[in-house]
Amino acid sequence: MSTHDNLARVRVVRDTYLDSLRLLVATSVMAEQGGVTWAGAVMATPSGRENLEAEGFGAESVGQAGANDLVLAVRAGDEAAAEAALAAGEQAAFEDARAESGEAAAAAPRTVSGAVAQMPDASVAIVSVPGGYAALEAHHALSQGLHVLLFSDNVSLDEEAELKKRGNELGLLVMGPGAGTAVISGTGLGFANAVRRGPVGVVAAAGTGAQEVSALLDRWGVGVSHVIGVGGRDLSEAIGGRMAKAAVRALDEDPETEVILLVSKPPSEAVAHSVLEECGSTPAVAAFLGLSEMEPPSGVRMARTLEEGALTAARLAGKTPPATSEGLRAQVEERLGALGDERRTVRGYYSGGTLCYEAQVIINELLGEVYSNEPLLPGNTVPAPPGANVLLDLGAEEYTVGRPHPMIDPGNRIQILRQEARDPEVAVVLLDVVLGYGSHEDPAGQLAPVLGEIMADGGPQVVAYVLGSDTDPQGYARQRATLEGIGCLVTETAARAAYTAAAIASRRPELTESHR
């Protein structure tokens, strides 16, 4: 299990369940310890054991551990570093539980019905358990009359369809599976931002899409009434938009909602149209990435990008949003002289999947074909041909197996940036920095050193976008200043970052002002 400079060690904690967020915290803490080259905290479910085996931890390393057992695993330079990391991971894993004592700890409910007995006024249950158990727990919550935010992934399409059919019958929302973001009556759930209350209600089949439009509306002084994340598969043929339709109807009846804004990763066109047909008397805007040419029902406006969707919703709410491209053209013109003529491509490293899709829409139109691990066009997968534009979603499963999501821990993204971003063909490195609850406490500070290395000595330009609100815990202004301070070009919206990257790569500064 070990090499001379890469010692592998495992610690099994029996009869201990941790939800996915706590597992990610433990993983992140272990990975940050000195001398550690890899770390992972998983439940010893079949999929968890498979993930460990893929990283070289064979079946013998976890023995008879089962689905209710926690496994902490590290590779480190020596025994002392490995043991220190395992101890730090175990402490992080149980830090919240150990803070409780006496009656408070004893009284913690172990079932949904027990929680309802303690909190009879609760209306929403957040389900974050391994995928094999998630649907059952969501059904328990529905049986208690609760709306469900199903944070868990690895829930089958059949289970999702059954849950949402039952939710429709009970008049309850099933947000998810894989619903990372919601804001209900001002309370953020999952990876939400600290946003003000306002007149725009958001329905999102896209986690960072929901964050992007709600953060923009906050920064522009508009605000949101509710953000209902319905899960990325809701607008697929298999699910049929069940929860998106229910959410639209609920917002249409909500007296605090004056405008409805719908956002989605590339959906089924037929399902998307059927969802829009549910829009009633409330003005509606739809930013369905890849479907901007679809003919909408009467009273619904279509938007090509998340930026355009948020701008349109703000205007419908009677607000005047800022010019999103102000000053960018001059900044691009100033930087073009520093680029060697051979640098002509864009390389994107995203933590937000929806932002990666949006950038593909823009760059595909302005520069030609784009390749990705989550491609907008099915054939444009990676590895890409030489000289191609490549945008990667580093939050996708292949990059997060056994590792924290890049919003939580930028470590894996930093490693990939060091390995790939200084390719001599690359003109622009494009990336997002996502703030909010659940995200890293200082992502810009973590990324700044490697971004500075990339730009040094005639390297590519870095175009960055900070997704966040002025009141997010990381401090939007502070994060933006950190990136600008090392020479990054920072934009007002994620779409504007993609336009700016295209402007630099093509040597056409006017593209910064494009609204195609």
Side-chain angles (χ1 to χ4, degrees), residues 76-265:
D78 55 46
E79 187 77 40
E83 288 302 318
L86 290 171
E90 186 170 359
Q91 179 177 354
F94 300 108
E95 162 172 83
D96 289 348
R98 286 170 179 162
E100 297 177 348
S101 61
E103 293 181 8
R110 298 180 62 84
T111 64
V112 174
S113 59
V116 170
Q118 282 194 10
M119 302 175 63
D121 295 330
S123 60
V124 180
I126 302 174
V127 176
S128 178
V129 299
Y133 308 98
L136 179 61
E137 291 304 317
H139 276 295
H140 288 163
L142 292 174
S143 295
Q144 294 292 326
L146 300 173
H147 302 289
V148 175
L149 179 80
L150 185 48
F151 192 85
S152 305
D153 52 16
N154 294 315
V155 175
S156 73
L157 271 172
D158 287 344
E159 289 173 323
E160 180 176 350
E162 182 183 6
L163 279 167
K164 290 184 171 178
K165 181 175 183 293
R166 187 172 178 224
N168 284 156
E169 292 168 352
L170 295 171
L172 296 169
L173 292 172
V174 177
M175 297 172 277
T181 300
V183 181
I184 307 298
S185 299
T187 299
L189 307 175
F191 289 102
N193 298 89
V195 292
R196 72 187 76 199
R197 299 297 301 277
V200 180
V202 177
V203 178
T208 45
Q211 288 185 266
E212 167 73 335
V213 297
S214 60
L216 290 177
L217 291 168
D218 174 87
R219 295 207 308 268
W220 298 343
V222 182
V224 297
S225 56
H226 308 279
V227 178
I228 302 175
V230 296
R233 301 186 305 203
D234 194 76
L235 272 67
S236 67
E237 292 285 352
I239 306 301
R242 285 183 180 275
M243 280 302 124
K245 292 174 182 177
V248 167
R249 291 192 294 266
L251 291 176
D252 187 50
E253 296 172 0
D254 176 33
E256 296 183 357
T257 300
E258 300 172 13
V259 180
I260 298 173
L261 173 56
L262 300 99
V263 300
S264 177
K265 297 176 183 178

Side-chain angles (χ1 to χ4, degrees), residues 291-308:
L291 281 189
S292 61
E293 302 304 317
M294 184 181 77
E295 187 66 31
S298 176
V300 178
R301 294 163 174 81
M302 298 299 293
R304 281 187 60 261
T305 63
L306 303 172
E307 174 191 282
E308 185 182 343

Side-chain angles (χ1 to χ4, degrees), residues 356-414:
C356 185
Y357 275 116
E358 181 183 49
Q360 288 182 65
V361 169
I362 293 166
I363 292 176
N364 182 73
E365 288 189 5
L366 298 178
L367 300 183
E369 290 193 334
V370 181
Y371 291 79
S372 177
N373 60 320
E374 296 286 335
L376 186 70
L377 303 175
N380 287 10
T381 56
V382 290
N389 299 300
V390 179
L391 302 180
L392 298 177
D393 173 11
L394 300 184
E397 186 173 312
E398 62 266 33
Y399 288 106
T400 56
V401 172
R403 301 182 182 94
H405 192 282
M407 290 182 197
I408 297 171
D409 180 0
N412 190 44
R413 179 153 64 159
I414 290 169

Side-chain angles (χ1 to χ4, degrees), residues 340-364:
D341 191 59
E342 73 282 1
R343 294 190 178 276
R344 294 281 176 173
T345 65
V346 176
R347 194 72 59 82
Y349 301 95
Y350 280 88
S351 61
T354 316
L355 305 189
C356 185
Y357 275 116
E358 181 183 49
Q360 288 182 65
V361 169
I362 293 166
I363 292 176
N364 182 73

Side-chain angles (χ1 to χ4, degrees), residues 17 42-51 65-69 71 130-133:
Y17 172 74
V42 301
M43 299 305 298
T45 60
S47 61
R49 293 173 71 104
E50 285 176 14
N51 294 342
N68 292 317
D69 299 324
V71 180
Y133 308 98

